[in-house]
Amino acid sequence: MPETEPLNSNTAKSTLPPAGMPVFGASGRKIVYDENGKPCRACNTLLDFQSIAGKKKSVSSSTFAASSGAVAGAAVSAASGFSTIPDDCPPDVEQLGRSTWTLLHSIAATYPEMPTKDQQNNLMNFMTSFSHLYPCFYCADDFRDYIKKEKINVTNRDEFGKWLCNAHNSVNVKLGKPTFDCNLWKERWKDGWKDGRCD
């Protein structure tokens, strides 16, 4: 599932920031506001959420415009000091994304090699429902757009695992992160690396 919004995209459901509220957070990412004009906790990083609450300095649109891309955002984030989320607090978009990808890849790793029609239907229904229920609404919108273009492949474990890996890579590209070699998805998520470090 998408972890954060691409730096320069617009989201249909997000609203313009209310008067006096920042456009960009301390990470350099655009702040996502919900339909009520409140910052979306599941759609923003903790650092950005704190910048809105006045606990961290936010980045003005002019400062952000002068910087470029994910590298500048990362530099701003590093300079601002990243806060970790206490275990008993709601997750931010990054923690939610990492946890979600772990769950989805683990489902792929345990999906049958030769699934029955019922198992294929169950997975298809789960993924479709998931795309409507994901807490970060703009991430969910993005995922639904992806599955419209790239049909979910539930034929068997390997096909679903590779489809999911490609979906994850599409998010990584949007975030300026490196992509993963999808030929290695089973080593990463099912069998463990051949060097034995997971044994």
Side-chain angles (χ1 to χ4, degrees):
M1 193 81 273
E3 295 169 33
T4 55
E5 179 180 38
L7 293 174
N8 296 319
S9 75
N10 295 320
T11 304
K13 288 187 181 178
S14 64
T15 62
L16 294 174
M21 295 298 282
V23 175
F24 299 101
S27 72
R29 291 186 177 122
K30 182 178 170 186
I31 299 293
V32 178
Y33 294 91
D34 66 17
E35 64 277 1
N36 297 316
K38 294 183 179 180
C40 173
R41 185 179 285 270
C43 304
N44 293 295
T45 65
L46 175 63
L47 182 64
D48 291 338
F49 198 80
Q50 288 176 336
S51 73
I52 298 164
K55 295 182 180 180
K56 298 281 180 188
K57 187 176 179 182
S58 62
V59 178
S60 72
S61 56
S62 59
T63 301
F64 183 74
S67 63
S68 63
V71 173
V76 171
S77 179
S80 302
F82 179 73
S83 298
T84 57
I85 301 172
D87 291 339
D88 60 347
C89 293
D92 73 348
V93 70
E94 292 176 341
Q95 183 182 23
L96 183 63
R98 283 189 302 271
S99 299
T100 299
W101 286 120
T102 298
L103 172 66
L104 293 175
H105 287 297
S106 297
I107 289 171
T110 59
Y111 186 61
E113 290 182 8
M114 298 180 69
T116 65
K117 284 291 179 198
D118 280 348
Q119 290 169 322
Q120 291 176 341
N121 289 335
N122 287 341
L123 183 55
M124 184 66 76
N125 290 337
F126 170 78
M127 294 301 292
T128 302
S129 295
F130 173 82
S131 74
H132 291 276
L133 298 171
Y134 194 70
C136 170
F137 65 84
Y138 74 83
C139 303
D141 289 346
D142 187 60
F143 192 63
R144 283 193 304 278
D145 289 344
Y146 182 83
I147 63 179
K148 284 178 190 172
K149 290 183 266 179
E150 301 292 333
K151 186 177 184 304
I152 302 168
N153 191 337
V154 297
T155 307
N156 57 48
R157 177 186 297 158
D158 195 50
E159 293 299 322
F160 180 63
K162 286 180 180 174
W163 178 89
L164 188 62
C165 180
N166 286 321
H168 194 164
N169 276 340
S170 76
V171 173
N172 287 341
V173 167
K174 291 175 187 176
L175 298 175
K177 293 181 178 181
T179 57
F180 183 79
D181 180 350
C182 291
N183 292 315
L184 301 175
W185 84 267
K186 283 185 184 175
E187 280 186 67
R188 170 63 180 95
W189 296 103
K190 183 183 180 305
D191 301 324
W193 297 108
K194 290 180 182 174
D195 65 8
R197 66 182 161 206
C198 302
D199 298 337

